[in-house]
Amino acid sequence: MRIEDSKLKAGLETLGVDLHSGTSLAELTSLGIGGTTDLLRITKHESIAHLISLLERHQVPYKFLGGGSNLLVGDGELPWVILQLAKPDPEIVLAGNLAHVDAAADLGRTVTYCAKHDLGGMEGLIGVPGTVGGALRMNAGAYGMQIGSYVREVKLYRAAERRIEILRGHEISFEYRHTSFAPDDMMLAVTLELPSKPFKEILQGIRICNEKRRSSQPLGQKSAGCIFKNPPGGSAGRMIDELGLKGLSVGDARVSDRHANFFVNAGYASAKDMLTLMSEVRGRVEKAFGVQLENEVVVWNS
Ligand code: EPU
């Protein structure tokens, strides 16, 4: 979708929103799949409510993009524009055991920055791509930890209330790859409360997690991490592997040879290829194990 209206363009400029016309979502997502649309980059949190009203007045549909690392976007010209937060400087401010982190901050850089200041707990998240906002929204986790355990406070744009709110950690429910945030809430910033740990000790934990990840996941390839959630008490990767589906392909969409719950874009896969592959694998798993796999990847197909 393209923004052509000059009044709308002037309105965006007044709000400090940068318009990037004809942006390829394939370039903004770790899967490297997705069509084209206009990207609106927000430089001031305070302008979000006005921006949403402006877009609604001009009947422009929109979606919020984080780091694009857990996302499968449809092909071709997309029927909505993308809103994304610009990275502020600084992205992280520390005060004792509290880390105030902007939602646009890179998750891996946040883990290492905190580690260098003797704040640990998030070692497992090293190597998880994406932004802190994206990790928060889906309660990203690995190697026995999840980000939700460290959340003291979240600043978010509540779409239903049309205003910025602060939620305390206990007001949010964090479950396995799921939170109580509404789908249209936009994460703006988070305060994490992290345990004190000597840098050397944290570094050791980070090395162990990095090693485990390198040995079991296709890190150099285009993927969205695990494509399906694990069913309660089970492992999607193990079930897909047991069915001998590693290497199964539709076009350039392929079940990884390294980890069967990673579906990679081995070249120029389309969203249609990836969705067909997901549906094929989901069907075979259901037939063999009677388990319906739920997407972990977020699909924006319309
Ligand atoms: N397994 C296989 N074949 C495979 C993959 C896995 O047999 O191709 C087996 C493993 O040998 C192991 C079991 O399945 O016995 C579980 O595998 P793994 O330890 O790799 O963990 P996972 O459950 O597949 C989860 C998260 C990952 C996270 C790792 C490490 C989900 C869907 N996945 O994977 O998170 O990195 O644990 O904690 O919860 C993600 O969320 O995108 C993600 C990659």
Side-chain angles (χ1 to χ4, degrees), residues 140 217 220 238 255 262 287:
Q217 300 181 359
R238 187 185 297 136
V255 178
F262 278 66
K287 199 166 167 213

Side-chain angles (χ1 to χ4, degrees), residues 216-238:
S216 63
Q217 300 181 359
L219 298 189
Q221 286 181 284
K222 289 183 194 166
S223 82
C226 285
I227 207 98
F228 299 116
K229 291 182 186 179
N230 283 336
S235 159
R238 187 185 297 136

Side-chain angles (χ1 to χ4, degrees), residues 176-250:
Y176 167 65
R177 302 296 194 270
H178 185 264
T179 59
S180 51
F181 298 119
D184 51 2
D185 284 345
M186 186 177 196
M187 306 297 114
L188 300 178
V190 60
T191 300
L192 301 167
E193 187 168 7
L194 299 169
S196 298
K197 252 193 205 179
F199 176 52
K200 270 192 176 164
E201 212 177 288
I202 302 172
L203 199 61
Q204 212 176 351
I206 285 178
R207 284 201 181 118
I208 293 169
C209 292
N210 264 336
E211 192 41 52
K212 282 191 195 160
R213 206 178 282 282
R214 261 197 301 271
S215 67
S216 63
Q217 300 181 359
L219 298 189
Q221 286 181 284
K222 289 183 194 166
S223 82
C226 285
I227 207 98
F228 299 116
K229 291 182 186 179
N230 283 336
S235 159
R238 187 185 297 136
M239 288 192 286
I240 301 168
D241 194 1
E242 275 176 18
L243 292 176
L245 300 181
K246 279 183 170 167
L248 183 73
S249 301
V250 175

Side-chain angles (χ1 to χ4, degrees), residues 111 119-125 142 144-146 150 194-197 202:
V111 175
L119 294 175
M122 297 199 294
E123 293 84 331
L125 289 176
M145 62 80 51
Q146 52 181 28
Y150 299 100
L194 299 169
S196 298
K197 252 193 205 179
I202 302 172

